[in-house]
Amino acid sequence: MLVILKQLTEELYAECDLSWERFARFREEEYEPDFFTEVKPYADELQDKLVRWKQLSQEYILKNRPKHIHMVQINNASDAFEQFVVQSFYIKTSKKRFFQSIQSVKYTCETFLRTLEAEPVD
């Protein structure tokens, strides 16, 4: 479980940067994607990872009671992640708020990864 949880956390962290890059590129190109052919399929694929991450995170937190990561942080990161992935496709998204959401999720992922790295591998 620990290996999968680390991998999912790293993938979500990487998606933060991908979302920022997509947002910047679409803004520069003034590109408006089609919701049903581009945005929804992408968000749905990530949603499956996010659900699995939340489930494994909850199991880990309940079992290990880590000092620096709590389920409320996971839930908040998950909610923000769902929003900014979709927002990354739209050029009218507020740049400041979008950036802050990404930074918040990245911080949670970094904190969680440090916690997971301190654990022995199952």
Side-chain angles (χ1 to χ4, degrees), residues 63-77:
K63 179 182 175 190
N64 297 287
R65 306 246 183 247
K67 192 175 194 176
H68 300 290
I69 196 81
H70 305 283
M71 203 55 212
V72 70
Q73 292 167 285
I74 300 299
N75 290 333
N76 289 343

Side-chain angles (χ1 to χ4, degrees), residues 4 8 14 16 19 22 27-28 30 37 44-45 54 58 60 65 68-69 74 76 82 89 102 110 113 121-122:
I4 295 169
L8 287 170
C16 292
S19 289
R22 179 176 37 256
R27 262 189 146 184
E28 183 180 314
E30 296 183 7
T37 60
D44 287 347
E45 182 182 324
K54 280 179 66 174
Q58 182 173 21
Y60 176 83
R65 306 246 183 247
H68 300 290
I69 196 81
I74 300 299
N76 289 343
E82 285 178 357
F89 285 86
I102 288 176
E110 289 167 351
L113 283 170
V121 178
D122 337 279

Side-chain angles (χ1 to χ4, degrees), residues 34-50:
D34 180 71
F35 179 78
F36 292 104
T37 60
E38 294 176 73
V39 181
K40 186 172 180 350
Y42 193 85
D44 287 347
E45 182 182 324
L46 287 174
Q47 178 66 23
D48 294 339
K49 278 185 190 180
L50 200 54

